[in-house]
Amino acid sequence: MSLSFVLFSVISGLIAGIGSTTILRFYLRKKISFDSFGFKQFSTIVIATVVTAVLYGALSYFMGYAYAKLGPEISELEKDLFKAYNSYWLLAFTSLFVIFAWLICYLVIKLLLKINKDRIERLELNTNLKQAQLNTLKGQINPHFMFNSLNNIRGLMLEDVDKSREMLTKLSEMLRYSLTKNNINSIAVEEELEMVDNYIDLSKIQFEDRLQFEKSVDKECLQVQIPPMIIQLLVENAAKHGISNLKDGGKISLNIDKHAKVLSIKVVNTGKLRITKGSTQVGLKNIKQRLKLLYGDKATFKLKEANDEVLAEIKIPMS
């Protein structure tokens, strides 16, 4: 076979293939929706593919015919190849095979792109949903003792105006903290401890000498990032469900340290582990849900009673 015949075969095949499949691709993009694929779309694809195969075959036939009539003189072998290729049955089979092969590749690529697009959309949706859930949970645990604190401060004003002014400042700092940290998912332990100290000072207006508080914090843990208001919630539960039920009051101990790459937060309070009848346990549910959303199965929370004390412990992986 001559070089010109080989070049013609390659070029004509490319022209016929690219031309016909380009038309098919534009048609499919305009008419076919892969989001609602059904029998109608399937029928449209089959009909369009057959028409494209006919177009491909016609282009191949006429370019071969033009080459035989207008091109350089061809050999007997090339004439036999032309006759064989341009036989209707072989031309039809070849055209259908080429176009259907292209169609399969096209559909596979479209399917993979759609799967990837759906996966990205699901990830974005899950991320937005998770953030919405976190914001909702954080909104639920904003200092709900504000009204009690204000009433206690109002009573304190009759005894000690300076002390009342100091407590109002601490309450405002707590409210500012809960508002400014409501849109973030992590803060330093050191910042959270300031919130806890303010809460304890405000609680002592109500409990007076009935509430004792001590804390032990590893200095290396002060800059570790944790979910905002999570320590405050543990301390608040200890005061609300523990100390407030004891006539003589009791003690709340806070311990924060780390082991390997795990941060341990322990809050121990005097008292019994009792679930009040009708209690929704919102605080405990919030802790578990927030840890689940942020850390999956890598974080743990446990609550238990031992020796007339209640232990609440959170373990968080340190990144």
Side-chain angles (χ1 to χ4, degrees):
M1 288 186 292
S2 63
L3 178 60
S4 60
F5 180 79
V6 174
L7 289 174
F8 165 77
S9 299
V10 173
I11 294 173
S12 62
L14 288 174
I15 292 174
I18 294 174
S20 57
T21 55
T22 298
I23 295 173
L24 177 60
R25 181 169 63 88
F26 279 113
Y27 179 80
L28 293 178
R29 287 178 61 184
K30 185 177 180 180
K31 296 293 184 179
I32 302 300
S33 173
F34 290 94
D35 293 326
S36 57
F37 194 83
F39 179 77
K40 182 179 179 180
Q41 285 78 9
F42 177 77
S43 302
T44 302
I45 290 175
V46 171
I47 294 172
T49 302
V50 172
V51 172
T52 304
V54 172
L55 176 62
Y56 174 81
L59 288 173
S60 299
Y61 179 85
F62 284 113
M63 283 191 289
Y65 182 83
Y67 180 83
K69 293 296 183 180
L70 305 176
E73 188 175 348
I74 58 177
S75 64
E76 292 298 322
L77 175 61
E78 293 170 344
K79 288 180 181 180
D80 293 337
L81 289 173
F82 265 125
K83 290 179 181 179
Y85 180 73
N86 289 332
S87 66
Y88 293 119
W89 291 111
L90 180 60
L91 185 60
F93 174 79
T94 303
S95 300
L96 286 172
F97 176 81
V98 170
I99 300 303
F100 269 105
W102 178 90
L103 176 66
I104 290 172
C105 293
Y106 175 79
L107 292 178
V108 168
I109 293 172
K110 291 290 288 185
L111 179 61
L112 291 175
L113 290 174
K114 186 178 185 303
I115 291 174
N116 187 59
K117 179 183 177 182
D118 291 343
R119 183 180 64 84
I120 293 173
E121 289 178 350
R122 283 197 301 271
L123 287 173
E124 291 177 347
L125 180 62
N126 288 336
T127 300
N128 293 335
L129 178 60
K130 182 183 291 186
Q131 189 60 51
Q133 289 175 322
L134 285 169
N135 288 339
T136 300
L137 291 171
K138 284 185 287 188
Q140 289 176 346
I141 64 172
N142 282 342
H144 58 271
F145 65 98
M146 178 181 65
F147 296 109
N148 287 336
S149 297
L150 286 173
N151 285 329
N152 292 332
I153 292 172
R154 184 179 63 178
L156 183 62
M157 284 181 179
L158 301 175
E159 303 174 8
D160 190 336
V161 175
D162 292 335
K163 185 71 173 179
S164 301
R165 186 177 299 146
E166 180 185 350
M167 292 300 104
L168 279 174
T169 300
K170 290 182 180 294
L171 180 59
S172 66
E173 288 177 355
M174 287 191 68
L175 294 176
R176 179 180 58 81
Y177 178 92
S178 68
L179 290 172
T180 57
K181 305 303 181 184
N182 198 43
N183 293 322
I184 62 175
N185 292 326
S186 64
I187 59 166
V189 169
E190 188 174 25
E191 288 186 73
E192 179 78 353
L193 290 178
E194 293 178 10
M195 172 93 156
V196 171
D197 289 337
N198 287 337
Y199 173 81
I200 292 295
D201 289 340
L202 286 165
S203 297
K204 283 185 176 180
I205 301 176
Q206 176 183 352
F207 295 111
E208 298 179 338
D209 294 335
R210 293 172 57 221
L211 173 60
Q212 302 173 48
F213 178 71
E214 62 179 28
K215 62 182 177 181
S216 174
V217 181
D218 186 342
K219 291 183 179 180
E220 294 184 5
C221 299
L222 291 176
Q223 298 305 316
V224 175
Q225 297 293 305
I226 61 170
M229 301 181 70
I230 205 161
I231 300 177
Q232 185 271 335
L233 183 56
L234 290 180
V235 174
E236 183 178 337
N237 279 338
K240 182 178 179 182
H241 300 292
I243 307 303
S244 64
N245 295 324
L246 301 175
K247 181 179 178 181
D248 297 327
K251 181 172 68 174
I252 298 176
S253 300
L254 170 63
N255 180 273
I256 303 176
D257 57 13
K258 62 178 182 178
H259 304 283
K261 293 186 178 181
V262 177
L263 179 72
S264 174
I265 302 171
K266 296 179 182 178
V267 174
V268 180
N269 66 271
T270 310
K272 299 288 186 179
L273 181 57
R274 298 189 183 96
I275 303 300
T276 306
K277 185 177 180 180
S279 173
T280 60
Q281 302 182 55
V282 172
L284 300 180
K285 290 178 181 178
N286 280 338
I287 291 175
K288 293 176 182 178
Q289 290 176 19
R290 291 176 70 197
L291 292 176
K292 183 70 174 179
L293 287 169
L294 290 170
Y295 304 104
D297 296 328
K298 296 180 180 179
T300 61
F301 171 67
K302 66 179 181 180
L303 185 67
K304 65 180 182 180
E305 178 189 333
N307 301 322
D308 293 328
E309 289 184 332
V310 178
L311 167 66
E313 181 177 14
I314 293 175
K315 291 186 177 181
I316 298 174
M318 296 171 60
S319 57

